[in-house]
Amino acid sequence: MSAEIRYISKPHPLTGVTNSKLGIWCFLASEIMLFGGLFSAYILLRTGVPNWPHGSQILNVPLATLNTMLLITSSVTMVMSWASLAMHNFANYRRYMAATILLACGFLVVKSFEYGMKFEHHMFPSKNNFLGIYFTMTGLHVLHVIGGIIVNTYLLFPGSKMWKTNPEQFMGRVEAAGLYWHFVDLVWIFLFPTLYLL
Amino acid sequence: MSHSAEEVQKHVRTYIAVFAALAVLTIVTVYISYLHLPTPKAIAVALFVASVKGTLVAAFFMHLISEKKVITSILLLTAFFLVVLLIIPSIR
């Protein structure tokens, strides 16, 4: 008999939540500490020097505003894809999930333009502390966006077969992917003013 | 959390309202940055707007407003250590 993970669709009697949900939240808690460490480093760098440049002098605020809009829209489409499953509308689930992935790709395209313009002007992470922490924080965030695109693409295509065999577990997966995606949006909500507007 | 179709329909209306609020707050925070307030004031305002946006995402998109105690207590513990982490740079 294979050892299966229990309580992935039904709530565990002790916690009241599924083990999957407990798991993704523990992961997100560790992610909060990961990004927290970088925000802490940012504060240390910024308060350690007499003059810190205003983000808008170096970075492109309109492009970052566009990216903020793309990410918050993708957060809505993500939660709508989960809500569509809850309303047993699989066609809408696929539409909203596809929209989420496209918006995330749009974010990456805009971000690559931003990086490209910096590199053209020889503004690399090693140039100064501002660019160092900017590339570290946004780079780690971009890796998270790419991770989200991979998971969501799996759930849109091969992974969605599970909707027919085990709809409850599939909804749990979409919900967990959604929690992760909202977290990626949440990090950007703080990165945007910190790096670009202050 | 129950997933009855009617209840989800109600959620959907909330999601759209939250989306509108997030879009408006993004424009507000960019607009304020063009006013060039003195730095301490600018930091306070920008972080306040970001916190409101973050709370909206966590409460409604991540359903924390109706989440079980085990999840919220894990997050409270995390929030405590996050605050510790952010205070460390100011220790001189």
Side-chain angles (χ1 to χ4, degrees), chain A:
Chain A
M1 217 177 92
S2 63
E4 62 172 318
I5 305 167
R6 296 201 288 168
Y7 301 111
I8 41 177
S9 301
K10 297 264 180 276
H12 192 288
L14 282 181
T15 59
V17 296
T18 60
N19 282 347
S20 336
K21 192 183 254 188
L22 186 63
I24 190 77
W25 273 113
C26 287
F27 169 66
L28 292 183
S30 79
E31 291 271 271
I32 292 172
M33 296 312 281
L34 173 65
F35 280 99
L38 288 176
F39 274 99
S40 185
Y42 169 87
I43 297 171
L44 183 66
L45 288 175
R46 183 168 182 155
T47 55
V49 290
N51 292 307
W52 187 262
H54 194 278
S56 65
Q57 293 166 344
I58 297 170
L59 306 172
N60 191 321
V61 175
L63 279 186
T65 309
L66 170 65
N67 254 353
T68 306
M69 290 299 186
L70 288 176
L71 265 201
I72 55 183
T73 312
S74 80
S75 236
V76 184
T77 55
M78 185 80 207
V79 79
M80 288 300 293
S81 76
W82 172 82
S84 302
L85 286 183
M87 293 186 279
H88 309 286
N89 191 335
F90 187 70
N92 269 354
Y93 157 75
R94 296 201 82 161
R95 274 184 211 116
Y96 282 121
M97 193 53 119
T100 308
I101 295 165
L102 286 177
L103 288 161
C105 291
F107 179 92
L108 289 184
V109 169
V110 173
K111 199 80 216 149
S112 61
F113 273 119
E114 272 192 87
Y115 278 179
M117 287 192 296
K118 292 284 156 293
F119 295 151
E120 252 173 53
H121 293 93
H122 303 285
M123 294 170 93
F124 295 104
S126 55
K127 192 177 161 100
N128 56 42
N129 280 345
F130 179 89
L131 288 172
I133 196 76
Y134 163 76
F135 278 111
T136 308
M137 293 180 99
T138 56
L140 184 67
H141 181 262
V142 158
L143 288 179
H144 279 77
V145 172
I146 293 170
I149 291 174
I150 292 169
V151 171
N152 286 346
T153 306
Y154 171 76
L155 290 173
L156 175 62
F157 296 115
S160 68
K161 280 182 206 135
M162 192 186 245
W163 175 245
K164 285 199 177 118
T165 54
N166 193 343
E168 250 182 348
Q169 191 181 347
F170 183 63
M171 263 190 78
R173 285 186 175 182
V174 172
E175 189 179 11
L179 287 171
Y180 170 81
W181 191 248
H182 301 314
F183 172 79
V184 173
D185 182 26
L186 198 54
V187 169
W188 181 257
I189 284 175
F190 283 95
L191 278 182
F192 172 52
T194 307
L195 294 172
Y196 289 82
L197 302 180
L198 293 174

